[in-house]
Amino acid sequence: SLASTAITCFTRGLDLRKETEDVLCPANCPLWQFYVFGDGVYASLSSVCGAAIHSGVITSAGGAVRVQTLPGQENYPAVNANGIQSQVLARWASSFSVTAGTKNTALEAVGRSVSTARPSTGKRPKKLLDKKAGNKDCKADIAFLIDGSYNIGQRRFNLQKNFVGKVAMMLGIGTEGPHVGVVQASEYPKIEFYLKNFTAAKEVLFAIKELGFRGGNSNTGKALKHTAQKFFSSESGARKGIPKIIVVFLDGWPSDDIEEAGIVAREFGVNVFIVSVAKPTTEELGMVQDIGFVDKAVCRNNGFFSYQMPTWFGTTKYVKPLVQKLCSHEQMLCSKTCYNSVNIGFLIDGSSSIGDSNFRLVLEFVSNVAKAFEISDIGSKIAAVQFTYDQRTEFSFSDYTTKEKVLLAIRNIRYMSGGTATGDAISFTTRNVFGPMKDSPNKNFLVVLTDGQSYDDVRGPAAAAQKAGITVFSVGVAWAPLDDLKDMASEPRESHTFFTREFTGLEQMVPDIIRGICKDFLESKQ
């Protein structure tokens, strides 16, 4: 019989190497920590045990699961099942499905204590990497910001180049894998080569070997800011929808302020890692402007983005853990994705033809769309307006900065009941709800929900909203005339107009709306 591999709560589909693999999930994995994308067919980014619980193959008590590798697909839907909310993903290179595995009791006992995702016995066939394509499971555009200051000196500069070269080789650079470039920080930053210059690991290695040492002060802040602003343009090879990463190598400490540069990088959607080598000694601390410089510059001060090496000697063992971090797509919390970079306003019809129980279904629809997004003070924002002949702002974009509060506010919306003036309501929302957001870096969306004919013109107000940079989705139910819906929707109208006869049909539209928002978001990005 096939031996089962004991895996951890966090082992992902892409960590497994066989076409079909029998694995053993541990008990009591924390449900809220699972990353799961899809339903039935899961993106290989997903946690295997999370997917198994989500699909009902096992419970949180763990157990045996058979994992089958499947080709990648477009549009993994978000579905809430068995205590896990799976997330939407527009496309991914590979997938898997899960079925009940065969329990192998002899192994189960040992299985519990082993926490590796790799089979311990049996030679696994080397995965044939398509050399040119590179490692497709590692999605990253990376700038290595190397230290070229007098702090590091010529000799350690060469050791740094060796280390960066090893990291570059292990990443699996290729046309469909990671792309890298190098910037040297000294007195003034110098972009040595861009993402688009080389897509073969050998060329990158050669380019790194050729780098000359510049010397000067260690103005890392200046270099980080320059890199965040200038390095990731589409002209220089940055790819849409791929995480942007800067790995800052710092020997000692920066001569300038790095905090502002960290803020700029976050605003530009760049994930900053700091690899610090030879931390300042106690005697040297007096010379350091800001002792907390690492915490202020990294993407998130959660331990994931900072990395320490005691010296530049014997660094080989540090290569693989750093590469694993750089390839952890889902940990890149600073990337701008459609989930964390949109403002979605809901314009909700409160006319008397809807009735109480259907109004609840409308609110449920609004909640389910809002739930898919990462709502925070620096992330996505949600607002809601209810309208009849009048308009009432239920809550604006700046009122709530957590998902819990937003969902509670949606639940607490009281049904107004009255007439239908959709055009006025669109104008009101454009002015009062989106108006104050004109400096927001997020992309603006308006979802209009109505069940009937408007008493006023909708075409003019909708055109004005679109001119103000708002993408409009129209969702009609029951007696909403298709002409009105199309007149309100953004181009291409077909993909921004939705209709269902019954209010119960709203639920099926949720993934389509989320997907539509993400598609528009991606297409609007540089």
Side-chain angles (χ1 to χ4, degrees):
S1 77
L2 277 173
S4 302
T5 309
I7 60 174
T8 70
C9 301
F10 302 109
T11 303
R12 300 169 301 176
L14 53 84
D15 297 325
L16 302 176
R17 287 286 176 257
K18 296 180 190 156
E19 285 295 302
T20 307
E21 186 133 13
D22 282 299
V23 298
L24 219 49
C25 286
N28 306 320
C29 287
L31 293 189
W32 54 272
Q33 279 185 0
F34 280 131
Y35 274 99
V36 177
F37 301 88
D39 181 34
V41 173
Y42 300 95
S44 62
L45 264 185
S46 311
S47 148
V48 172
C49 300
I53 295 174
H54 183 266
S55 65
V57 169
I58 56 170
T59 64
S60 55
V65 177
R66 173 163 286 187
V67 185
Q68 177 69 45
T69 304
L70 299 168
Q73 62 175 42
E74 308 247 337
N75 301 330
Y76 296 87
V79 174
N80 199 332
N82 300 315
I84 294 177
Q85 170 67 50
S86 77
Q87 300 183 49
V88 178
L89 194 61
R91 74 161 61 86
W92 195 247
S94 54
S95 318
F96 66 87
S97 63
V98 282
T99 49
T102 44
K103 274 219 166 33
N104 187 324
T105 39
L107 258 158
E108 186 130 337
V110 291
R112 284 282 176 250
S113 59
V114 184
S115 66
T116 142
R118 295 280 147 76
S120 44
T121 55
K123 296 261 179 295
R124 61 189 176 85
K126 266 273 179 289
K127 199 172 170 196
L128 286 170
L129 264 185
D130 170 358
K131 254 314 205 313
K132 271 175 86 89
N135 177 9
K136 296 181 191 171
D137 286 331
C138 182
K139 297 282 187 233
D141 280 343
I142 304 171
F144 291 115
L145 181 52
I146 61 172
D147 189 338
S149 68
Y150 291 137
N151 267 358
I152 192 169
Q154 178 75 58
R155 182 173 172 221
R156 295 204 303 263
F157 180 77
N158 289 336
L159 292 171
Q160 172 182 231
K161 289 201 308 189
N162 288 346
F163 179 75
V164 173
K166 284 178 186 160
V167 171
M169 285 308 283
M170 194 174 224
L171 277 167
I173 293 165
T175 49
E176 297 176 56
H179 291 179
V180 306
V182 170
V183 182
Q184 186 173 170
S186 54
E187 194 69 43
Y188 298 101
K190 174 167 188 253
I191 295 180
E192 302 282 3
F193 60 90
Y194 285 100
L195 294 164
K196 69 169 179 202
N197 294 132
F198 312 108
T199 53
K202 284 223 168 66
E203 296 170 356
V204 169
L205 199 58
F206 183 74
I208 290 171
K209 285 216 165 83
E210 292 293 294
L211 295 173
F213 173 61
R214 293 170 66 81
N217 272 324
S218 141
N219 287 333
T220 314
K222 188 180 281 182
L224 177 56
K225 188 172 173 183
H226 180 77
T227 309
Q229 290 171 327
K230 302 278 189 287
F231 181 86
F232 294 101
S233 68
S234 48
E235 297 78 55
S236 25
R239 295 168 290 175
K240 258 184 187 176
I242 302 271
K244 301 176 174 70
I245 298 171
I246 299 177
V247 184
V248 180
F249 290 95
L250 240 181
D251 188 302
W253 61 89
S255 336
D256 62 352
D257 173 49
I258 198 171
E259 182 173 8
E260 189 211 346
I263 294 168
V264 169
R266 288 190 286 276
E267 282 172 356
F268 275 83
V270 176
N271 299 276
V272 176
F273 284 79
I274 293 202
V275 177
S276 46
V277 184
K279 277 203 324 210
T281 62
T282 327
E283 298 81 77
E284 290 170 330
L285 276 177
M287 297 150 75
V288 182
Q289 274 193 27
D290 183 353
I291 296 169
F293 66 86
V294 171
D295 288 347
K296 289 181 177 156
V298 288
C299 160
R300 287 280 193 288
N301 181 9
N302 60 1
F304 183 77
F305 294 93
S306 43
Y307 199 66
Q308 273 168 354
M309 302 195 295
T311 72
W312 286 108
F313 298 97
T315 52
T316 311
K317 64 172 177 293
Y318 293 101
V319 174
K320 193 177 175 190
L322 179 59
V323 167
Q324 282 171 332
K325 283 183 183 236
L326 298 180
C327 290
S328 305
H329 189 111
E330 76 283 15
Q331 300 273 2
M332 300 298 162
L333 303 175
C334 289
S335 293
K336 297 260 183 242
T337 64
C338 69
Y339 301 117
N340 65 17
S341 308
V342 295
N343 301 323
I344 307 172
F346 291 93
L347 184 52
I348 303 166
D349 186 339
S351 60
S352 40
S353 52
I354 291 180
D356 266 326
S357 60
N358 285 335
F359 189 73
R360 289 286 120 212
L361 291 173
V362 171
L363 295 184
E364 214 162 283
F365 167 85
V366 172
S367 285
N368 286 333
V369 173
K371 210 182 273 174
F373 294 87
E374 293 159 29
I375 300 161
S376 73
D377 52 344
I378 58 165
S380 289
K381 312 244 188 305
I382 307 287
V385 172
Q386 189 181 170
F387 71 97
T388 53
Y389 284 136
D390 291 320
Q391 305 85 29
R392 182 169 78 197
T393 302
E394 301 289 354
F395 55 93
S396 70
F397 287 121
S398 49
D399 286 345
Y400 303 114
T401 53
T402 69
K403 194 179 291 195
E404 293 69 41
K405 286 184 175 153
V406 164
L407 295 177
L408 187 64
I410 295 169
R411 263 209 305 279
N412 288 332
I413 292 175
R414 294 283 156 261
Y415 175 41
M416 282 163 76
S417 188
T420 312
T422 315
D424 268 355
I426 294 173
S427 302
F428 171 88
T429 309
T430 304
R431 192 174 58 246
N432 298 323
V433 177
F434 286 98
M437 301 305 282
K438 63 176 181 303
D439 296 329
S440 161
N442 290 358
K443 185 159 168 53
N444 292 322
F445 291 91
L446 176 63
V447 180
V448 182
L449 286 131
T450 178
D451 83 321
Q453 175 89 51
S454 175
Y455 292 110
D456 60 0
D457 167 59
V458 295
R459 189 176 293 179
Q466 290 166 32
K467 207 168 161 185
I470 303 165
T471 302
V472 182
F473 283 87
S474 59
V475 178
V477 190
W479 305 108
L482 204 55
D483 288 346
D484 273 13
L485 297 174
K486 282 218 168 99
D487 283 343
M488 291 188 282
S490 287
E491 298 282 351
R493 299 211 154 128
E494 285 57 56
S495 57
H496 292 84
T497 308
F498 294 88
F499 178 78
T500 171
R501 274 264 159 258
E502 305 291 332
F503 282 88
T504 48
L506 283 171
E507 196 182 347
Q508 277 91 60
M509 290 181 189
V510 170
D512 297 327
I513 299 275
I514 295 164
R515 217 171 281 149
I517 289 172
C518 285
K519 189 167 179 292
D520 287 343
F521 174 82
L522 264 179
E523 284 168 6
S524 71
K525 276 186 68 184
Q526 45 110 355

